[in-house]
Amino acid sequence: MGTALKKAFELLFSNDGQLWNIVSVTMQMTLTSSVAALLLGVPLGVFYATSRFPGRKALIILNRTLMGLPPVVCGLLCYMLFSGVGPLRQLKLLFTVTGMIVAQVILLTPIVAGNMETYLSGIVGEIRETARGLRLTRGKAFLLTLNESKYALVSTYLFGYGRAMAEVGAVSMVGGAIAYKTNVMTTAIMMYTNMGDFTLGLALGVLLLAISLIVNITAHLLQGRRA
Amino acid sequence: MSKKALVILLALALVFSIFGCAQSETTTTTEEETAATSEPIVIDGPEETPFETMSPDYEDKLGITILYEQDDAMINNYTLLAVNEDAPFVDLDGNAVDDVAINTVGAKALIDWMLSDEAAELIGNYGFEEYGEYLFYNKEDRPVSTAEIPQATDETKTIRLSTTTSVNDSGLMSYLLPVFEDEYGYEVEVLSAGTGKAIAAAEMGNADLILVHSKTQEEPFVEAGYSKVLDGYDSERLTFMYNYFVLVGPKDDPAQCAEASDVKEAFQRIADGKYPFVSRGDLSGTHTKEVSLWPEELGITTDAASVADYSEWYLSSNAGMGVCLTMANEMDAYILSDKATFLTFRANGGNFE
């Protein structure tokens, strides 16, 4: 463990091109996919919680099932879709960062939507009453809902972001862990482990946690300022 | 409220980093002490650049070692195959797909270069500096190319190479390919998986060429029309380099494999004594080789059901070479590995520190 920590510090202060490429691909993939999942998942969650129509319960159950979608299954699905003989072969998304982001968004959106639905179901009655009392339009009522769930929004986002950072099954299948292109921190850890370099793998793991810590501190500061 | 939490977080981060520094310092001292009292040289010097961690003076920390090698039955041939753009590609439902994008020009450029004298010299010398041993040898009867290699264009720039793990994990690809890329402007995307998966990726149109090491799996690939003979060559299968499979096992060698007269006898001894054996079990080239070395009466094939009766000592792990070597090391088991991966694995430390 000691050697791994030392190596993590050495790595951090080294000018290694491959390491910084891995870090930047990781950031690009996790930030894009978690923001996209938030933009898709939050309206979906608000829709689940606030609207009333037949089949709503079934939809929520379906969403909860998708929340447990195993990443490798999602990866396999995307691999088959984007594959050279797959139906979406013209998009040429296999072994690209965009393809990895698509897989991540498929995994994260139900999680974001489900978390929002759970949170909102507790306060939806009051919001509806307020909206009725103030005679708010649909759009304004939506904004009010978001305003009432700021704290839940940040924590939901962080949860999604954490999942995106930790994910390895789907991204290794869709991305292929190609050096200088689609190799992210988790797949690089797998690669170095397979080469017998446990120390370097562990050092990358320490860096991964450190990045997560920085993101969480930033989010906490934002959350504190608004609340 | 938020300030308080921030202070706590920062304090934690500080403690964490101080702990880290202190921890690494104590480790360094113990390492220095060990180095002073015993001969092996410790590899982790602070001046060392990361990602180039190999050193010929590594300390062998593994409990397993090479017991049997350099047998004719253990030759490990590596073959290049170009993917045929007119191959009978089918989708999952078995419908023909005729517009699979294959970069044949790029694949031919890379194959021509890999078979050039320039590449042969690089391959022949690879590993000696880092490991004190040559990891790959050029085949004497290998096809030699003198064809002129075109510079990359926008359409032919990206080459998808699907390889077996051994050539990638041993560092050969990251040593060879930059030379080719710098000279001709191509970008080679290396996908590394066992031979079975590498071939499957090519059959789904996800590779322009493959570099694999299992004749029994290459032949059906060629027969099904997935590969083609390139201009200037006689065969689809271009076997150009080799090394050896090695039987690796515990240093005290309870099955006495090191004294066996041939490799089949060594495997017989393992089976007779039911000593633990880790199998790749993943249809890789190493796996197909391994199943051919067991005594015939055991009936071991690549089918997992064929080894169900031997599960007390035969561990079919379905994992990469590195993971399997770790398992063998932890369990004092025997294992078949390609020599290049084993030497890299050993030089990298191969265990936790």
Side-chain angles (χ1 to χ4, degrees):
Chain A
M1 271 305 273
T3 323
L5 280 172
K6 194 178 79 177
K7 208 160 201 163
F9 278 98
E10 281 170 25
L11 271 180
L12 199 56
F13 296 110
S14 71
N15 208 6
D16 192 289
Q18 190 170 359
L19 172 76
W20 294 115
N21 182 272
I22 290 172
V23 172
S24 85
V25 174
T26 309
M27 297 308 284
Q28 190 192 341
M29 179 195 72
T30 52
L31 290 174
T32 319
S33 57
S34 55
V35 169
L38 193 74
L39 292 179
L40 288 171
V42 168
L44 204 60
V46 173
F47 174 70
Y48 289 156
T50 57
S51 57
R52 281 177 187 164
F53 59 93
R56 172 176 162 268
K57 276 269 151 60
L59 210 59
I60 291 178
I61 290 170
L62 182 72
N63 186 76
R64 286 189 183 151
T65 311
L66 288 178
M67 282 168 83
L69 178 71
V72 276
V73 176
C74 174
L76 184 59
L77 211 71
C78 291
Y79 184 93
M80 299 318 298
L81 284 176
F82 301 144
S83 179
V85 296
L88 301 180
R89 57 182 174 277
Q90 306 296 355
L91 299 177
K92 292 195 188 291
L93 285 180
L94 195 67
F95 308 141
T96 63
V97 178
T98 319
M100 293 156 87
I101 291 172
V102 171
Q104 291 269 27
V105 170
I106 294 174
L107 279 174
L108 296 179
T109 307
I111 294 173
V112 172
N115 274 348
M116 280 311 285
E117 191 270 326
T118 311
Y119 174 75
L120 288 175
S121 60
I123 58 165
V124 72
E126 293 166 40
I127 292 182
R128 196 173 280 145
E129 234 162 70
T130 318
R132 206 175 291 153
L134 296 172
R135 291 166 196 269
L136 294 180
T137 58
R138 252 169 191 278
K140 283 202 171 144
F142 179 70
L143 289 179
L144 175 73
T145 318
L146 289 191
N147 194 45
E148 287 303 311
S149 49
K150 271 186 300 193
Y151 199 85
L153 272 176
V154 176
S155 65
T156 302
Y157 174 75
L158 286 180
F159 187 68
Y161 180 81
R163 282 283 302 240
M165 278 293 257
E167 206 321 273
V168 57
V171 293
S172 65
M173 284 188 104
V174 183
I178 297 164
Y180 290 101
K181 191 178 178 199
T182 57
N183 204 9
V184 291
M185 308 224 25
T186 47
T187 52
I189 291 171
M190 293 239 300
M191 191 178 86
Y192 289 114
T193 310
N194 224 354
M195 289 164 74
D197 204 337
F198 292 85
T199 317
L200 194 52
L202 213 53
L204 278 177
V206 173
L207 282 192
L208 187 66
L209 272 177
I211 294 174
S212 241
L213 183 72
I214 294 169
V215 172
N216 272 293
I217 290 175
T218 319
H220 183 88
L221 288 178
L222 286 174
Q223 207 171 17
R225 211 172 282 166
R226 279 196 204 148
Chain B
M1 180 63 200
S2 75
K3 270 185 189 158
K4 208 185 227 173
L6 178 65
V7 167
I8 294 171
L9 265 178
L10 285 178
L12 272 178
L14 194 69
V15 168
F16 181 74
S17 57
I18 290 171
F19 173 78
C21 292
Q23 184 84 353
S24 59
E25 255 171 48
T26 42
T27 326
T28 326
T29 18
T30 29
E31 271 173 8
E32 270 161 17
E33 274 161 24
T34 340
T37 46
S38 60
E39 293 98 303
I41 297 154
V42 179
I43 49 162
D44 284 301
E47 69 286 343
E48 201 168 51
T49 43
F51 293 85
E52 293 171 17
T53 44
M54 331 306 182
S55 147
D57 305 314
Y58 52 79
E59 182 187 7
D60 183 5
K61 304 183 196 92
L62 293 182
I64 47 174
T65 188
I66 295 176
L67 297 170
Y68 197 93
E69 64 174 322
Q70 306 287 69
D71 185 313
D72 279 350
M74 303 276 265
I75 282 189
N76 178 19
N77 283 319
Y78 288 92
T79 302
L80 280 163
L81 294 123
V83 175
N84 181 6
E85 75 267 35
D86 299 320
F89 292 111
V90 287
D91 66 15
L92 273 187
D93 303 319
N95 304 316
V97 179
D98 55 7
D99 62 342
V100 176
I102 302 291
N103 179 6
T104 308
V105 177
K108 180 169 190 315
L110 181 54
I111 287 177
D112 282 342
W113 185 79
M114 290 287 278
L115 300 177
S116 69
D117 286 334
E118 183 190 3
E121 202 186 319
L122 289 168
I123 292 168
N125 288 326
Y126 178 64
F128 194 73
E129 260 177 53
E130 289 99 328
Y131 307 103
E133 282 194 59
Y134 295 107
L135 298 190
F136 297 95
Y137 310 95
N138 288 294
K139 272 193 99 71
E140 270 175 33
D141 57 350
R142 76 192 169 90
V144 180
S145 167
T146 49
E148 197 166 315
I149 298 165
Q151 287 289 327
T153 64
D154 282 347
E155 288 90 57
T156 63
K157 197 168 189 282
T158 310
I159 306 170
R160 298 168 304 166
L161 167 63
S162 198
T163 73
T164 168
T165 44
S166 44
V167 286
N168 204 41
D169 287 358
S170 62
L172 180 68
M173 284 298 126
S174 51
Y175 161 83
L176 283 182
L177 293 177
V179 181
F180 168 73
E181 290 171 327
D182 289 348
E183 211 166 323
Y184 301 102
Y186 293 92
E187 277 171 26
V188 185
E189 296 180 352
V190 181
L191 280 158
S192 135
T195 295
K197 285 178 199 155
I199 287 180
E203 287 175 350
M204 283 195 277
N206 298 327
D208 301 317
L209 71 157
I210 58 176
L211 199 182
V212 288
H213 65 147
S214 172
K215 194 177 173 186
T216 52
Q217 293 182 70
E218 290 153 21
E219 279 170 344
F221 180 77
V222 171
E223 273 159 33
Y226 282 106
S227 185
K228 68 169 189 177
V229 183
L230 293 171
D231 290 344
Y233 299 99
D234 323 320
S235 166
E236 293 92 348
R237 295 179 57 244
L238 303 166
T239 306
F240 69 112
M241 66 174 190
Y242 69 98
N243 65 7
Y244 289 93
F245 286 112
V246 289
L247 178 62
V248 172
K251 282 180 178 158
D252 57 356
D253 192 12
Q256 294 181 308
C257 290
E259 282 101 64
S261 58
D262 64 42
V263 65
K264 292 215 168 182
E265 194 197 323
F267 272 70
Q268 176 92 54
R269 288 180 182 197
I270 297 170
D272 288 349
K274 298 190 173 171
Y275 295 103
F277 184 92
V278 176
S279 166
R280 288 279 294 275
D282 63 349
L283 274 181
S284 59
T286 313
H287 184 203
T288 32
K289 183 73 197 179
E290 172 229 305
V291 297
S292 74
L293 296 172
W294 291 105
E296 269 172 38
E297 62 271 21
L298 292 181
I300 291 176
T301 66
T302 49
D303 182 6
S306 70
V307 295
D309 293 343
Y310 313 121
S311 58
E312 51 178 310
W313 60 275
Y314 186 99
L315 308 148
S316 182
S317 76
N318 191 15
M321 197 71 246
V323 173
C324 289
L325 282 168
T326 314
M327 279 175 79
N329 189 37
E330 297 291 331
M331 304 174 74
D332 283 332
Y334 289 90
I335 184 170
L336 185 76
S337 170
D338 66 284
K339 194 173 178 180
T341 308
F342 179 72
L343 291 180
T344 331
F345 186 83
R346 189 168 65 182
N348 281 341
N351 58 0
F352 292 101
E353 290 170 59

